[in-house]
Amino acid sequence: MMPGINPKKMKQMMKQLGMKMEEIEGVERVVIYTTEGEYVFEPAEVVVTIMQGTKTYQLQGSEPVFVPKEVTIPDEDVMLVAEQAQVSPDEARAALREANGEIADAIIRLTSS
């Protein structure tokens, strides 16, 4: 609730506006998945506000931890880069990780020294 406002009065006003708030019990962690990685909120609280049939979820928690997405590198890409740049498969895989899986970038990184 809002500080400085009587909780009973606040509930009455919300009821008049057709609003309802309820906390989702037992939430331990919330993860938001993005194309670059995941935002992890732990511990977390989630409150659902229902107003005029629309649900809004409010997340409260500590500063999120960002976990970057691990790039999956197929063995075929490793072999192609190793062959084109004339390096070992381990060097090719490392270059592909640095280049976020981009074959051309990995080859350029390895051959432009």
Side-chain angles (χ1 to χ4, degrees):
M1 295 290 168
M2 297 173 66
I5 296 179
N6 181 336
K8 190 174 181 180
K9 190 128 178 125
M10 178 65 113
K11 282 186 180 184
Q12 184 182 26
M13 288 180 1
M14 288 175 60
K15 187 175 181 180
Q16 288 175 346
L17 293 171
M19 290 178 65
K20 181 179 175 186
M21 288 180 76
E22 53 191 48
E23 184 174 342
I24 297 176
E25 297 295 328
V27 174
E28 295 177 7
R29 163 195 281 202
V30 174
V31 181
I32 299 174
Y33 297 94
T34 69
T35 55
E36 287 81 31
E38 304 170 353
Y39 291 91
V40 180
F41 295 84
E42 189 174 27
E45 294 178 14
V46 179
V47 176
V48 181
T49 303
I50 304 166
M51 184 171 175
Q52 298 177 349
T54 301
K55 291 183 179 181
T56 303
Y57 296 85
Q58 181 178 350
L59 168 64
Q60 299 174 23
S62 59
E63 188 71 26
V65 174
F66 182 74
V67 180
K69 185 178 181 181
E70 184 69 29
V71 177
T72 304
I73 300 171
D75 290 337
E76 301 85 38
D77 291 358
V78 172
M79 297 313 294
L80 176 62
V81 171
E83 182 181 304
Q84 292 294 315
Q86 299 179 356
V87 297
S88 72
D90 289 339
E91 291 175 293
R93 186 174 301 279
L96 280 162
R97 280 197 186 113
E98 288 177 20
N100 292 319
E102 295 293 328
I103 295 171
D105 287 347
I107 293 170
I108 290 169
R109 288 170 190 259
L110 291 167
T111 58
S112 66
S113 316

